[in-house]
Amino acid sequence: MYYIIEAIKQTSIHSPLLPLIVSLFLAIRGKLAKEVGLIVGLVVLSFISDYLSILIGRIFHNNMPWFHFYVLLESILLITFFSKVSTYKKIYMITMYGLIGFLFVDMLFLESILKFNTIARLVQCTVMVTSCLWLFYEVYVKEEVLFIDQSGVFWIIVGVFIYFSGAFFSFLIYRNLQFDDIPVNKNSTWIYHNSANVLKNVFFAIGIWQVR
């Protein structure tokens, strides 16, 4: 079981390379769409995050502040993207400011910046999954494309939805284990997150390719 968990973890860490390669290929050919710029930025952020967190951990012996900051950046990039592809831009901007406000409250009063921010992560997952469901509804209502699977934005939303759905369970299980004296390897709780992250980047690659 250990080797399976480790294999999924390593695949997850390197999975952003797939959409990055697709983005680079399209950029070289001058076909990378501006609409996916925020998603490409998110993929780059995701890719460097793992290595940066390791570096911060080795230097300062605690990389938790970075994870707090990462959630903030990730939320801004995604909700800004949602606002650009949605007809309800103001609602998404209000959502973004509300989420950012909550994240700061979480850092200052709810969870120590030196500990993993499970509450913030669970709230973020809920907001993202709800946003994706609403965007799915918008895509179907608009009917701008005959075959929905040919829409690059649709595949990107699918990737976000799958990732935060899987991540929600990992964060929820991890938080519960924090308060239980159960002899369980906490690293195994990340299998949902890591598997969902791999799928997310596969769908991001498809979406970036389709938007060209």
Side-chain angles (χ1 to χ4, degrees), residues 10-25:
Q10 293 301 322
T11 303
S12 174
I13 291 174
H14 296 93
S15 62
L17 287 173
L18 179 59
L20 285 178
I21 291 172
V22 172
S23 300
L24 182 61
F25 175 76

Side-chain angles (χ1 to χ4, degrees), residues 25-202:
F25 175 76
L26 292 176
I28 292 174
R29 300 185 64 184
K31 293 185 177 181
L32 183 63
K34 294 181 180 179
E35 296 94 314
V36 297
L38 290 168
I39 298 301
V40 175
L42 176 62
V43 173
V44 172
L45 177 66
S46 173
F47 184 62
I48 66 174
S49 175
D50 290 307
Y51 297 100
L52 187 59
S53 65
I54 294 173
L55 180 62
I56 293 174
R58 288 179 177 176
I59 295 175
F60 299 102
H61 307 292
N62 191 320
N63 56 7
M64 291 299 114
W66 165 249
F67 290 114
H68 283 262
F69 187 56
Y70 177 82
V71 172
L72 184 63
L73 293 177
E74 183 181 49
S75 299
I76 292 173
L77 287 172
L78 278 174
I79 297 180
T80 302
F81 173 77
F82 291 159
S83 69
K84 290 182 177 296
V85 300
S86 172
T87 54
Y88 299 90
K89 302 182 186 303
K90 290 184 178 179
I91 293 178
Y92 280 105
M93 295 311 295
I94 293 172
T95 300
M96 182 174 74
Y97 292 131
L99 182 56
I100 291 173
F102 173 80
L103 293 176
F104 276 110
V105 169
D106 178 73
M107 282 189 285
L108 295 173
F109 304 106
L110 300 180
E111 297 177 292
S112 170
I113 198 170
L114 299 178
K115 294 183 179 180
F116 190 74
N117 51 342
T118 50
I119 295 176
R121 293 278 187 155
L122 289 170
V123 171
Q124 181 200 32
C125 287
T126 303
V127 170
M128 294 303 169
V129 169
T130 303
S131 298
C132 288
L133 290 174
W134 180 255
L135 285 170
F136 283 139
Y137 172 75
E138 279 196 69
V139 170
Y140 278 109
V141 169
K142 286 180 181 179
E143 296 181 343
E144 292 181 350
V145 290
L146 182 60
F147 300 103
I148 201 68
D149 60 339
Q150 294 180 358
S151 168
V153 171
F154 171 78
W155 288 116
I156 290 173
I157 297 172
V158 168
V160 175
F161 178 78
I162 289 176
Y163 170 70
F164 283 101
S165 297
F168 181 87
F169 288 105
S170 282
F171 298 142
L172 185 62
I173 295 171
Y174 185 85
R175 179 166 179 78
N176 289 335
L177 289 177
Q178 285 181 314
F179 301 100
D180 293 332
D181 295 325
I182 302 174
V184 178
N185 182 4
K186 288 186 174 130
N187 290 328
S188 64
T189 65
W190 296 106
I191 191 169
Y192 301 107
H193 171 276
N194 293 335
S195 299
N197 189 50
V198 173
L199 291 174
K200 177 198 73 175
N201 285 306
V202 170

